[in-house]
Amino acid sequence: MKRTGVLALLWLISAVGCQQTLAPNEDFISLHERFHGKYRPVSSVASEAVDANFDGKPSTDMLVELRDLATTDLRIDINGPSVHRSERFFGFYHAWPEQYVRNPYTNKEPVAYDSLATVNYNWQAVSRQFDFDKDIRQMQLKPDNEPLPDPEQFAPPKAVTIEAGDRVKIINSKRLYTRSGWKTVEIVTVYKRYTTVT
């Protein structure tokens, strides 16, 4: 009886010792629980003040300056191997309210500020696959397989990092039509998950 207990204990120690532990960036079940879902911006700050909403008050707050940005989603898919997919899949879908500016008489985009021009917004979503770095501090987006239709509107973010509380910080360079004409600014937007349903 004593011998059986010792053998059982040795088997248990051996079994626990032989288990493989996954690296944090490979444990898709934990990553799914932490990150899978849809996110909305909680802050969005430009590198310089711009008047993109044409109210005469330049601001660095893009949630004020860009119509619909506050309700524009970032979606992150974390899926493991399944009957439909042989490998895990990490998907990054980033929408942004892109400006479309036209003078109604010439039907052309103005090169400078034009009081007759109309500004319309369209949500442009860019999807890419990504990997986490080993410390789960960055999302490393994979390069596009095909040339981008418009390199300015569909350009990948400069950086995607994980902040406190698993918020996602995205740094983009964006060309904006403002009361001072066209400006290219760096925009830092922080997203917080609001649903795990995608």
Side-chain angles (χ1 to χ4, degrees), residues 116-173:
L116 298 177
T118 58
V119 181
N120 293 302
Y121 288 85
N122 188 22
W123 287 4
Q124 298 289 171
V126 175
S127 63
R128 292 179 170 89
Q129 292 185 45
F130 72 94
D131 287 312
F132 287 101
D133 70 337
K134 65 183 180 66
D135 298 319
I136 319 296
R137 292 187 181 156
Q138 292 186 11
M139 291 181 181
Q140 300 163 332
L141 302 185
K142 296 184 179 179
D144 296 292
N145 293 329
E146 299 175 8
L148 297 169
D150 183 329
E152 283 192 351
Q153 288 185 333
F154 295 95
K158 289 184 169 183
V160 182
T161 57
I162 309 302
E163 303 295 299
D166 290 337
R167 293 182 179 198
V168 179
K169 181 172 83 174
I170 300 177
I171 301 175
N172 279 315
S173 178

Side-chain angles (χ1 to χ4, degrees), residues 39-44 61 63 70 167-168 189-193:
Y39 296 68
R40 288 264 165 87
V42 292
S43 68
S44 187
D61 187 349
L63 295 178
R167 293 182 179 198
V168 179
T189 308
V190 177
Y191 293 81
K192 179 181 179 182
R193 185 167 64 174

Side-chain angles (χ1 to χ4, degrees), residues 10-94:
L10 287 174
W11 178 85
L12 181 62
I13 291 169
S14 173
V16 170
C18 290
Q19 284 182 345
Q20 286 187 334
T21 55
L22 291 172
N25 62 341
E26 292 294 328
D27 184 357
F28 78 86
I29 294 173
S30 295
L31 292 172
H32 180 92
E33 290 174 6
R34 280 181 67 184
F35 297 107
H36 185 87
K38 291 180 182 175
Y39 296 68
R40 288 264 165 87
V42 292
S43 68
S44 187
V45 180
S47 55
E48 68 176 275
V50 293
D51 185 7
N53 65 2
F54 308 99
D55 65 356
K57 301 172 187 173
S59 165
T60 58
D61 187 349
M62 294 297 97
L63 295 178
V64 171
E65 295 295 332
L66 294 178
R67 192 180 81 202
D68 298 331
L69 177 58
T71 57
T72 304
D73 284 346
L74 163 68
R75 177 178 142 191
I76 296 173
D77 283 352
I78 306 288
N79 295 308
S82 68
V83 294
H84 305 292
R85 182 178 285 118
S86 61
E87 298 178 355
R88 65 170 174 74
F89 176 82
F90 295 171
F92 178 93
Y93 308 90
H94 185 218

Side-chain angles (χ1 to χ4, degrees), residues 99-103 108-110 117-120 177 182:
Q99 294 174 312
Y100 287 84
V101 185
R102 289 285 180 270
N103 178 303
K108 292 183 179 177
E109 180 180 274
T118 58
V119 181
N120 293 302
Y177 183 69
W182 291 99

